[in-house]
Amino acid sequence: MNKKHTDDIRFDQLHIWHPYTSMTQPLPAYKVVSAEGVRIELESGEKLIDGMASWWSVVHGYNHEVINHAMHQQIDQVSHVMFGGLTHQPAIDLCRRLIDMTPAGLDKVFLADSGSVAVEVAIKMAIQYWHSKGNAKKNKLMTVQGGYHGDTFAAMSVCDPVNGMHQLFQGFMAQAIFAPKPTLGFDQLWDATQTDALEQVFAENHQHIAAFIIEPIVQGAGGMHFYHPKYLKQCRLLCDKYNVLLIADEIATGFGRTGKLFACEHAHITPDILCLGKALTGGYLTLAATLCTKDVADTISNGEAGVFMHGPTFMGNPLACSAANASLSLLADNHWQTQIAAIEDSLQDLKSIANHENIADVRVLGAIGVVETKRAVDTAKIQAQFVKLGVWIRPFGKLVYIMPPYIISHADLQLLIDAIKQVLQRDDIWR
Ligand code: PMP
């Protein structure tokens, strides 16, 4: 590696925060020069097969000619314009699509900047809804343990209180009400007592609860747990029974990842408010959306404020909307169901290491494969071994997991799976 490369990496380590990193003991980051399809090219010339889809977002692969073309066209027309008092075709087309594709009944769309902001918007909608109804004491949030909803303050308040990475801010955050996490897995035999404790928390607190927020079916960053669809169904029924709004956070699960277009479909439910993000633009730009029902929107609009109190500078950014429109067209054209079914089928091979002494569990749902280890892995060490094998997989804690781009070939997916199987059977990767 040349001197410029070494200087750049040193500068990066000394001056640039990366997600959840230290400035005194920074780990070197790998420098990317380009990416194409499922391969990320490093400055060193190595090409890594991406198992993470850049955190669930790059579903059609990198440098896709269809999305590139749409964005180039949009740049030549208008890249950004304020959304207050102005509108544009990319936003109109996108919101039409989102209303058409999401569960029936969600027909008002708020375009937000990122997943965390979409969650903030959903929470503000719920608080404003009850305020408008003259029931301002319904101003708390309820959720289940084991969840993850983002890094901003309201979103942090509904992350798992222990594993949600935000305990430190406890005294500063709004206090949410937590029910035990769902324990029954996606395919396990349903046991109706599974939601007894949940119902008890609803029964005891509902007068104060504005909304119940949950990640449908897959609890992502809080543990990569796939829970039973009947649990989610019961969440909807309990929200109805106790007069609480249901917020579904599909930021990770949306757009096909779990084998349904939206994970709510596993339980045939419609939430009152739905958060989308990540894969929305095919991973090209940050953009998110919060959809809600007519009832939620009308109630907010007929309330004391008369408007919904949120409106960021880059709301509805035309360039991001154009990427999203191209990505959603590709989703349909590429027959995402076939892509996900093929990935799900191949991922079953991960189960061949399920009985290894260091493995606690292996689970697969849609295009998500998770190997849960008994002890936490050393991320830097395991990362280096994966890179040597030509794959990009970034584990955290006891979770080694992949959710590759939907376009991945059988052969490339097998390389990812083989790398996981090989590395996890070594002795030197444990903390
Ligand atoms: N909700 C869920 C379910 C997520 O997985 C994430 C991101 N990991 C977020 C919200 C926050 O999204 P963002 O990082 O875009 O703010």
Side-chain angles (χ1 to χ4, degrees):
M1 272 299 142
N2 61 30
K3 179 162 182 319
K4 166 134 176 48
H5 176 87
T6 315
D7 286 352
D8 282 350
I9 296 298
R10 189 80 193 126
F11 178 88
D12 186 288
Q13 273 182 288
L14 288 178
H15 298 285
I16 309 181
W17 293 108
H18 284 258
Y20 290 92
T21 49
S22 158
M23 272 286 161
T24 54
Q25 291 180 308
L27 297 168
Y30 297 89
K31 190 170 169 204
V32 174
V33 286
S34 69
E36 176 83 37
V38 298
R39 283 181 168 70
I40 299 172
E41 187 181 347
L42 302 183
E43 197 168 63
S44 56
E46 290 155 286
K47 288 189 179 165
L48 308 179
I49 300 171
D50 181 15
M52 310 304 290
S54 278
W55 280 335
W56 314 81
S57 66
V58 182
V59 288
H60 308 301
Y62 298 89
N63 206 1
H64 197 292
E65 61 175 351
V66 172
I67 308 181
N68 288 2
H69 177 69
M71 289 179 69
H72 283 137
Q73 277 197 323
Q74 191 57 46
I75 286 178
D76 289 339
Q77 293 190 347
V78 53
S79 291
H80 182 63
V81 65
M82 63 186 279
F83 214 45
L86 298 173
T87 194
H88 47 79
Q89 202 61 48
I92 294 168
D93 290 346
L94 176 59
C95 293
R96 270 212 181 99
R97 282 172 195 271
L98 291 176
I99 289 167
D100 280 353
M101 72 197 299
T102 52
L106 296 165
D107 63 358
K108 313 285 176 183
V109 189
F110 189 101
L111 295 170
D113 320 39
S114 68
S116 299
V117 173
V119 171
E120 298 286 322
V121 164
I123 291 171
K124 284 176 76 171
M125 281 179 176
I127 303 289
Q128 229 187 297
Y129 175 84
W130 292 109
H131 190 274
S132 298
K133 276 184 171 288
N135 197 349
K137 70 177 194 312
K138 267 172 102 70
N139 63 1
K140 288 197 185 308
L141 296 168
M142 179 177 158
T143 187
V144 288
Q145 288 163 354
Y148 180 82
H149 298 282
D151 290 349
T152 51
F153 270 96
M156 284 199 296
S157 76
V158 284
C159 290
D160 185 89
V162 179
N163 292 320
M165 305 181 250
H166 305 127
Q167 310 90 303
L168 185 86
F169 300 97
Q170 216 54 281
F172 199 72
M173 291 188 293
Q175 190 60 54
I177 295 162
F178 288 89
K181 66 186 276 170
T183 51
L184 271 185
F186 184 83
D187 288 326
Q188 281 181 290
L189 196 62
W190 176 243
D191 168 4
T193 62
Q194 172 78 177
T195 50
D196 287 356
L198 178 72
E199 170 140 27
Q200 203 182 331
V201 180
F202 267 104
E204 284 166 9
N205 298 285
H206 65 96
Q207 292 95 336
H208 301 285
I209 300 173
F212 174 78
I213 180 166
I214 192 162
E215 295 156 276
I217 305 299
V218 178
Q219 291 191 291
M224 298 299 292
H225 172 59
F226 310 148
Y227 66 87
H228 203 289
K230 286 207 169 137
Y231 188 96
L232 183 59
K233 179 88 192 160
Q234 200 59 24
C235 292
R236 176 69 273 181
L237 295 174
L238 290 171
C239 283
D240 290 342
K241 179 170 172 187
Y242 290 101
N243 215 11
V244 165
L245 294 174
L246 174 61
I247 302 174
D249 177 351
E250 293 239 20
I251 288 162
T253 51
F255 307 107
R257 180 59 71 179
T258 68
K260 300 278 185 194
L261 193 51
F262 297 99
C264 281
E265 295 171 23
H266 288 287
H268 311 287
I269 60 147
T270 301
D272 300 289
I273 303 175
L274 173 70
C275 301
L276 302 173
K278 289 190 184 278
L280 176 58
T281 61
Y284 266 65
L285 280 175
T286 178
L287 181 70
T290 306
L291 284 87
C292 70
T293 59
K294 184 171 179 325
D295 173 43
V296 169
D298 287 358
T299 305
I300 289 171
S301 309
N302 294 334
E304 186 188 315
V307 295
F308 177 53
M309 304 299 280
H310 204 92
T313 307
F314 287 99
M315 182 167 177
N317 174 261
L319 194 53
C321 290
S322 74
N325 282 318
S327 177
L328 295 181
S329 295
L330 277 174
L331 199 66
D333 295 349
N334 286 349
H335 305 289
W336 62 268
Q337 294 96 328
T338 315
Q339 294 176 316
I340 304 294
I343 295 173
E344 182 168 34
D345 200 37
S346 301
L347 286 173
Q348 303 302 329
D349 184 29
L350 284 171
K351 293 183 177 160
S352 61
I353 53 165
N355 292 327
H356 186 273
E357 55 177 331
N358 290 323
I359 306 301
D361 188 35
V362 181
R363 43 190 184 267
V364 172
L365 180 69
I368 314 168
V370 182
V371 180
E372 187 170 336
T373 57
K374 288 184 184 159
R375 277 184 291 150
V377 296
D378 181 325
T379 301
K381 252 189 213 160
I382 199 169
Q383 189 90 92
Q385 299 208 11
F386 281 136
V387 169
K388 262 194 210 146
L389 292 173
V391 297
W392 181 247
I393 299 170
R394 189 164 171 83
F396 69 90
K398 296 178 183 166
L399 298 165
V400 181
Y401 62 106
I402 49 174
M403 57 291 195
Y406 299 173
I407 55 149
I408 194 163
S409 68
H410 178 73
D412 284 344
L413 182 53
Q414 196 58 48
L415 290 172
L416 284 171
I417 294 167
D418 289 344
I420 293 177
K421 292 196 321 193
Q422 192 179 328
V423 169
L424 285 183
Q425 296 189 69
R426 290 187 191 158
D427 292 331
D428 57 341
I429 51 154
W430 312 99
R431 261 203 248 151

